[in-house]
Amino acid sequence: MVVVLDTVTAPATAKDRRPRHPEKANRPDTPLLRKPDWIRVRAPGSPIYRETQDIVKKNGLVTVCEEAGCPNIGECWSKKHATFMIMGDTCTRACAFCNVRTGMPEALDRAEPQKVAEAVAKLGLEHVVITSVDRDDLDDGGAQHFAEVILAIRAAAPGTTIEILTPDFLRKPGALEIVVAAKPDVFNHNLETVPSKYLKVRPGARYFHSLRLLQRVKELDGEMFTKSGIMVGLGEERNEVLQLMDDLRVADVDFLTIGQYLQPSRKHHPVIRFVEPTEFKSFETIGYAKGFLMVSSSPLTRSSHHAGEDFARLRAARQAQPRG
């Protein structure tokens, strides 16, 4: 059984007293399928987990590990691996799969880049993943804030490699160029699902815009690693997943992650099926055959799970390619 922690503390502010997902409040409950035996994680609680938790709290930071109810939080935090979520804990989108709070975000914390950089240094991270909520309310979608976080980490922890997982910057001209110019080591933007499911699963996004975003990163900086991920179990067909792989390869994406969708609540999109480990393994085999440098495909795969180890393998895979 997957252990998902409720990390929402007792209400202290007006924001905390509002529903976490007001747009879903009146939706009918959807069924919760019983989880299969192959989806298992340990409950967190090691001393290093507590140390990581303490550093996050003392720096006033938000992590996607907590906000999205990630099942891998116990494993990752026990290794001092945390994925920082910048620009607040409230998203302007209302994706049907996501557990992050939705609503009108607060103003940006201008001290946040330094706070994140200090936490990265204290944790001694070799590799860090920075993601964010969608900030459609900002003129640049938060691009400059991403850049400032990257630059602050470079100053405080110059040996740390940086992976970013960004929003799509839809209708934010020039935003992508700002982020790429800050030179993260890995640029990740998740497609999340196949195009036929966007209207229900990711209604605020556009599949081909996200593809073009990833392709544009390579046009701006051909040496930058690109990465994208999807969930399966949302009702997609196998051939749709294979076509999505082809689309990503046309965009020259280096790294693909595929994981099982887990339903956060009865108000979220239902799990249509649990994909068996053998099928995940077949996706991995096919992905490598299609030319990805790295493929991570398993029920508990998430974008930032084992990101540091995967980055080392990704870099080694590129170096092993024949030069021509």
Side-chain angles (χ1 to χ4, degrees):
M1 178 180 291
V2 169
V3 178
V4 179
L5 294 183
D6 178 5
T7 57
V8 181
T9 57
T13 67
K15 182 185 77 172
D16 293 327
R17 287 190 290 270
R18 292 198 301 268
R20 188 171 180 84
H21 303 286
E23 80 290 344
K24 297 179 176 67
N26 295 321
R27 290 182 183 176
D29 287 355
T30 55
L32 292 172
L33 296 183
R34 182 175 180 177
K35 297 178 179 68
D37 292 340
W38 61 76
I39 299 180
R40 296 176 180 274
V41 294
R42 291 183 178 181
S46 72
I48 299 177
Y49 171 92
R50 299 297 179 193
E51 183 182 347
T52 303
Q53 186 180 51
D54 187 56
I55 291 172
V56 168
K57 287 186 175 181
K58 282 185 176 179
N59 284 272
L61 300 173
V62 177
T63 68
V64 74
C65 321
E66 297 169 294
E67 294 300 316
C70 181
N72 300 316
I73 188 171
E75 177 190 351
C76 292
W77 283 28
S78 293
K79 297 177 180 177
K80 289 191 175 182
H81 295 172
T83 298
F84 297 105
M85 190 169 76
I86 60 174
M87 296 190 280
D89 65 355
T90 304
C91 186
T92 55
R93 304 277 176 95
C95 295
F97 66 87
C98 187
N99 197 40
V100 174
R101 183 191 303 273
T102 56
M104 181 54 68
E106 297 177 356
L108 292 178
D109 177 4
R110 295 300 176 186
E112 184 175 52
Q114 191 57 38
K115 291 177 184 177
V116 171
E118 290 173 3
V120 169
K122 287 178 183 176
L123 288 166
L125 300 183
E126 294 181 2
H127 186 82
V128 64
V129 182
I130 306 295
T131 188
S132 79
V133 292
D134 275 282
R135 291 298 302 257
D136 296 311
D137 57 311
L138 301 175
D139 290 341
D140 68 351
Q144 184 59 43
H145 200 75
F146 256 107
E148 289 171 6
V149 170
I150 294 167
L151 295 174
I153 294 171
R154 292 283 188 228
T160 302
T161 50
I162 301 171
E163 180 172 328
I164 59 169
L165 172 55
T166 76
D168 59 13
F169 300 120
L170 188 62
R171 292 183 285 274
K172 306 293 181 184
L176 178 65
E177 287 77 4
I178 292 170
V179 179
V180 173
K183 294 285 186 182
D185 296 284
V186 181
F187 190 107
N188 185 2
H189 173 65
N190 285 336
L191 294 183
E192 306 293 6
T193 187
V194 299
S196 69
K197 299 300 173 187
Y198 262 54
L199 190 59
K200 287 188 176 180
V201 174
R202 201 179 177 216
R206 301 293 180 269
Y207 178 80
F208 288 104
H209 170 82
S210 287
L211 266 180
R212 176 59 183 146
L213 184 87
L214 289 160
Q215 184 180 46
R216 179 67 178 146
V217 173
K218 285 290 192 181
E219 291 173 356
L220 293 167
D221 187 339
E223 294 301 309
M224 191 171 291
F225 289 104
T226 51
K227 179 177 176 180
S228 190
I230 63 166
M231 303 166 288
V232 290
L234 287 157
E236 70 290 329
E237 297 291 334
R238 180 177 175 83
N239 283 344
E240 291 183 293
V241 176
L242 302 186
Q243 180 61 59
L244 177 143
M245 290 184 186
D246 288 337
D247 292 344
L248 287 173
R249 288 303 301 131
V250 169
D252 201 19
V253 170
D254 300 302
F255 188 176
L256 171 64
T257 62
I258 305 176
Q260 171 69 52
Y261 168 61
L262 297 176
Q263 186 177 348
S265 78
R266 291 184 180 272
K267 299 297 183 182
H268 287 76
H269 193 291
V271 173
I272 305 302
R273 74 182 180 106
F274 287 103
V275 178
E276 295 196 5
T278 53
E279 191 169 350
F280 279 104
K281 184 63 178 177
S282 75
F283 284 142
E284 177 185 301
T285 301
I286 293 168
Y288 279 119
K290 287 182 180 291
F292 290 101
L293 289 179
M294 273 284 299
V295 181
S296 179
S297 177
S298 74
L300 287 174
T301 289
R302 296 297 183 267
S303 290
S304 56
H305 192 211
H306 298 156
E309 297 95 322
D310 285 345
F311 176 69
R313 293 169 59 199
L314 182 65
R315 190 158 49 184
R318 176 180 284 178
Q319 291 170 348
Q321 284 186 318
R323 299 287 179 178

